[in-house]
């Protein structure tokens, strides 16, 4: 069991999320976006989803925005997620 309050800061939390995702076989092309004008995106990857019964597979682009609020007892809201507004207000 992970005690998230023991994770030092947001960068270490992002490292943990990256490591966990990298171990999943469905996750391909996992990348860190780096610091800067990424609209809050921290990680990007392709998720391969297969349905063996139907013999089909799809690949989805996934954007991850890591938030580490365990020590603050703060809940994440839509306002905290920068990329949410960018994606939902895209015309």
């Amino acid at each position: 069991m992970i005690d998230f309050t023991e994770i030092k800061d947001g960068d270490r939390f992002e490292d943990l999320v990256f490591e966990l995702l990298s171990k999943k076989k469905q996750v391909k092309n996992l990348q860190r976006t780096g610091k800067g004008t990424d609209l809050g995106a921290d990680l990007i990857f392709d998720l391969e989803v297969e349905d063996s019964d139907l013999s089909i597979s799809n690949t989805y682009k996934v954007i991850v925005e890591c938030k580490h609020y365990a020590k603050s007892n703060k809940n994440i809201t839509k306002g905290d997620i920068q990329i949410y507004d960018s994606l939902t207000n895209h015309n």
Side-chain angles (χ1 to χ4, degrees):
M1 176 77 75
I2 297 171
D3 180 354
F4 288 97
T5 61
E6 291 182 7
I7 298 173
K8 182 179 175 183
D9 56 32
D11 290 335
R12 300 294 79 78
F13 180 68
E14 186 178 320
D15 292 342
L16 172 65
V17 173
F18 184 92
E19 183 176 335
L20 292 172
L21 287 171
S22 70
K23 298 193 182 309
K24 303 302 269 179
K25 70 176 187 169
Q26 304 93 330
V27 173
K28 307 292 183 192
N29 305 316
L30 178 61
Q31 301 173 40
R32 296 175 191 268
T33 61
K35 305 289 183 202
T37 58
D38 57 13
L39 296 175
D42 296 309
L43 307 171
I44 297 176
F45 63 92
D46 297 322
L47 179 65
E48 292 183 354
V49 180
E50 296 184 21
D51 187 328
S52 57
D53 293 333
L54 298 175
S55 297
I56 60 172
S57 64
N58 289 305
T59 301
Y60 301 93
K61 184 66 73 177
V62 178
I63 301 169
V64 178
E65 186 172 345
C66 298
K67 298 292 182 192
H68 179 50
Y69 292 158
K71 292 180 182 178
S72 69
N73 292 322
K74 178 181 175 184
N75 291 323
I76 296 173
T77 66
K78 287 181 186 176
D80 294 322
I81 302 177
Q82 298 170 23
I83 204 160
Y84 176 82
D85 284 334
S86 176
L87 293 174
T88 57
N89 293 325
H90 181 64
N91 292 323

